[in-house]
Amino acid sequence: MGAHNFKTKLTVRLLALATIASSTLTLTPLAYSQDSEILARVNGNEITAADLAIAEEMYEQQLGQMPEDAKRSVLVDALIELRIISDAARAAGTTDQDAYKRQIAFFEAQTLRSVFLEQRVASAVTDAAVRAAYDEQAGKIPVVRERRLRHILLQKENEAKDVIEALKTGQPFAELAKERSADDVSKANGGDLGFVAEGQTLPEVDAAAAALKPGEFTQEPVASAFGFHVVMLEEERNRPAPPFETIAPQIRQALEGAEEQRIISEIRSGAEVEKLIPDVSPPQTEDGHDH
Amino acid sequence: MKRRNVIVGLSAFAGAITFPALLAAQPTPDQLLAPGALPEKSFGSEGAPVTVIEYASLTCPHCRTFHVNVWPEFKKKYVDTGQVRFIMREFPFDPRASAGFMLARCSGDDKWYATIDLLYRSQDNWARVSDGTAALKSMMGMTGMDTARFESCLQDQALLEQVAAVAEAGKSFGVDSTPTFFVNGEMRKGALSLEQFSEIIDPLVAEGNQ
């Protein structure tokens, strides 16, 4: 039981430390008027809003979803208990024990590691570095031709011919799509299929669209297994790279990960390390796909 | 890890009920060709000297590559010439792939392959977007499937179970990734190129013609 408790608490604290490292800059979900606001007293010692803010970060993952006032209350209870028990432990001389010192040393090492790495990584991975990586990657994305198409599907060839005749008299494509298309999805959008990359739709429609100029529609029905299609090309372009804002967080994360690894191996190369047990790789986990 | 154990456990269990003889060794061609939960989708002559069975998933990029880049040439060279009978079987890895396979089955025999082909080609537009159902629905619009049919198809529990049963049978034959091919019973994992197929198939065809 004691061992189990120790393990659980250790996990909780490990999680908490990991959270501290990653969220120092993104404080704080709970808004408190004043850090010095006193929320409880234990044997004459005060528990303040600043203590609560730390507790919230520490225990965030275990708290899950709950109303703010309940969260506040649960956390203050936890702080009260923490203070009562830690005071008792101090009084009992626990801080002189080796077991205590070993754990503290471990947590200190872990905290030092995360604070140190976070600062070093943050100074290396600047906004400019993220932008430069984006520009480089955006330049490497292969060119994909895409076409904004409108589409009407008809069951019979002569129906498709009728639609083409109507288009030739100047009737708007969207209107005809709405009235005549058997495709009730694109019908709702006036036949608009949005931008379709080359090679990503029915081959017959793709080939017909490739022969059109913007504003043109197919002069003959396009036959497929599904019926007869009338296709209009609205616009043609090379697919734009995803906007900076949408992929900057992933790029930053990747750069930070790489930088962290670089720092670690740099420091490691100057350290004298003797691992006295054999290297054993954990078993591979598979996700079933052949990547 | 745990999830994987469950999956392996389930397939072994299903195998024990349906295919008691297959658990240990590679399945024989007869076992591989035994009727499954859904009508077989095959191309080419039944008397062809070589039979290729493909287990694939509609959301798997390598399966798309095979279908778009290799299959048309493969079909021309081997299937249309009577050398290979080619069977496509469902092996969905996720709910979206199951949905795609169900929709293709619901499209009817005459539109089944064209639907599979459309879904492979358009994979990027529905397999890896946030609202998969809306994307699939819009893609199926191209085939003329209306919203009511789309919805009733995806609610067809029996069909879902049949698709799953085809995959379960595949697992009992040792399939655990896609695409996986059986060439006259011999298992080959991964999307092979036409050249790689030729190396395997040409000798078998020569043998069969003797």
Side-chain angles (χ1 to χ4, degrees):
Chain A
M1 193 60 202
H4 175 255
N5 262 338
F6 168 72
K7 214 174 161 188
T8 315
K9 278 184 188 153
L10 183 62
T11 314
V12 167
R13 297 184 74 172
L14 287 173
L15 280 172
L17 285 163
T19 327
I20 287 191
S22 62
S23 60
T24 1
L25 298 174
T26 52
L27 297 176
T28 335
L30 286 180
Y32 304 112
S33 48
Q34 288 262 313
D35 278 0
S36 55
E37 185 190 351
I38 297 163
L39 306 175
R41 282 193 189 86
V42 177
N43 297 330
N45 292 313
E46 290 163 354
I47 290 171
T48 65
D51 298 327
L52 178 59
I54 295 175
E56 200 207 356
E57 277 182 63
M58 290 282 201
Y59 296 125
E60 205 178 11
Q61 308 209 0
Q62 288 94 56
L63 284 173
Q65 290 292 326
M66 66 170 78
E68 289 300 299
D69 53 351
K71 194 188 266 187
R72 189 173 150 98
S73 166
V74 167
L75 287 171
V76 169
D77 284 342
L79 285 166
I80 290 170
E81 197 213 77
L82 192 61
R83 182 62 62 86
I84 293 170
I85 307 298
S86 61
D87 284 352
R90 251 179 251 282
T94 306
T95 50
D96 300 328
Q97 291 174 8
D98 287 346
Y100 167 79
K101 288 175 184 166
R102 268 196 299 275
Q103 267 194 62
I104 279 292
F106 180 84
F107 293 135
E108 185 188 22
Q110 208 177 33
T111 308
L112 282 168
R113 178 187 187 278
S114 57
V115 169
F116 176 75
L117 284 177
E118 193 194 341
Q119 287 169 357
R120 289 277 298 263
V121 163
S123 66
V125 182
T126 58
D127 289 349
V130 176
R131 172 64 74 170
Y134 169 82
D135 289 341
E136 195 202 330
Q137 286 177 25
K140 279 194 208 150
I141 295 173
V143 175
V144 175
R145 201 66 185 151
E146 59 180 20
R147 304 187 185 90
R148 183 160 181 196
L149 304 178
R150 283 184 192 273
H151 162 257
I152 298 174
L153 173 63
L154 299 125
Q155 294 309 330
K156 297 201 176 78
E157 187 170 14
N158 59 1
E159 293 171 346
K161 285 186 168 160
D162 287 349
V163 166
I164 291 169
E165 286 312 310
L167 285 170
K168 284 179 180 166
T169 67
Q171 221 176 315
F173 198 100
E175 205 172 275
L176 282 161
K178 206 169 160 187
E179 280 168 20
R180 308 289 301 271
S181 189
D183 169 357
D184 73 359
V185 180
S186 68
K187 184 174 179 168
N189 316 324
D192 192 356
L193 297 178
F195 278 99
V196 180
E198 204 160 64
Q200 296 199 353
T201 185
L202 295 177
E204 297 88 348
V205 168
D206 213 28
L212 299 174
K213 292 197 177 66
E216 288 181 354
F217 52 85
T218 48
Q219 301 292 303
E220 292 294 327
V222 178
S224 80
F226 307 112
F228 297 88
H229 309 258
V230 180
V231 180
M232 182 176 179
L233 175 65
E234 288 274 2
E235 190 189 338
E236 202 170 358
R237 66 177 185 187
N238 291 334
R239 181 192 279 165
F244 176 74
E245 296 70 34
T246 58
I247 56 170
Q250 285 137 273
I251 293 178
R252 183 176 293 277
Q253 211 176 9
L255 292 179
E256 285 175 348
E259 179 61 14
E260 186 173 299
Q261 284 313 308
R262 197 197 61 75
I263 294 169
I264 291 170
S265 61
E266 184 185 282
I267 297 174
R268 208 186 155 109
S269 70
E272 194 182 316
V273 178
E274 287 176 276
K275 181 176 175 183
L276 302 176
I277 58 159
D279 275 326
V280 180
S281 304
Q284 294 267 321
T285 52
E286 292 170 41
D287 64 0
H289 284 268
D290 177 33
H291 290 293
Chain B
M1 249 349 250
K2 203 162 195 176
R3 195 178 71 92
R4 183 166 162 75
N5 288 341
V6 169
I7 291 170
V8 171
L10 279 178
S11 71
F13 182 62
I17 293 173
T18 351
F19 307 95
L22 300 182
L23 287 173
Q26 178 135 349
T28 66
D30 281 351
Q31 289 164 332
L32 280 165
L33 290 171
L38 284 166
E40 205 81 285
K41 290 297 180 187
S42 79
F43 300 77
S45 157
E46 296 222 1
V50 178
T51 299
V52 176
I53 301 172
E54 179 209 36
Y55 280 93
S57 175
L58 280 173
T59 50
C60 134
H62 292 291
C63 304
R64 180 188 191 275
T65 302
F66 173 76
H67 269 272
V68 174
N69 300 336
V70 180
W71 165 242
E73 291 303 310
F74 183 98
K75 182 168 179 289
K76 215 177 287 171
K77 182 171 175 187
Y78 290 113
V79 179
D80 297 346
T81 56
Q83 299 177 71
V84 169
R85 179 181 181 223
F86 194 94
I87 300 171
M88 294 183 186
R89 289 187 184 158
E90 290 95 341
F91 200 82
F93 260 116
D94 48 60
R96 282 189 198 189
S98 301
F101 281 128
M102 289 166 76
L103 291 164
R105 291 279 178 177
C106 289
S107 295
D109 285 343
D110 56 333
K111 294 176 186 162
W112 177 84
Y113 180 70
T115 306
I116 290 287
D117 183 59
L118 173 64
L119 292 177
Y120 271 126
R121 285 177 191 279
S122 61
Q123 191 183 74
D124 276 353
N125 299 306
W126 61 270
R128 286 172 282 282
V129 298
S130 54
D131 188 347
T133 309
L136 264 180
K137 188 159 139 187
S138 134
M139 207 47 68
M140 290 306 293
M142 293 290 288
T143 75
M145 182 181 278
D146 64 24
T147 306
R149 180 76 187 109
F150 176 86
E151 279 164 10
S152 69
C153 178
L154 292 188
Q155 282 161 12
D156 186 340
Q157 191 60 31
L159 178 57
L160 174 63
E161 280 163 19
Q162 286 167 322
V163 168
V166 171
E168 281 302 319
K171 283 179 199 169
S172 77
F173 300 140
V175 179
D176 61 3
S177 66
T178 54
T180 291
F181 299 92
F182 289 93
V183 182
N184 277 3
E186 187 90 17
M187 185 158 76
R188 302 278 171 165
K189 291 185 179 189
L192 305 181
S193 65
L194 188 61
E195 293 69 34
Q196 288 168 316
F197 268 118
S198 295
E199 275 173 33
I200 303 166
I201 289 173
D202 291 350
L204 294 172
V205 170
E207 225 172 84
N209 287 342
Q210 273 167 15

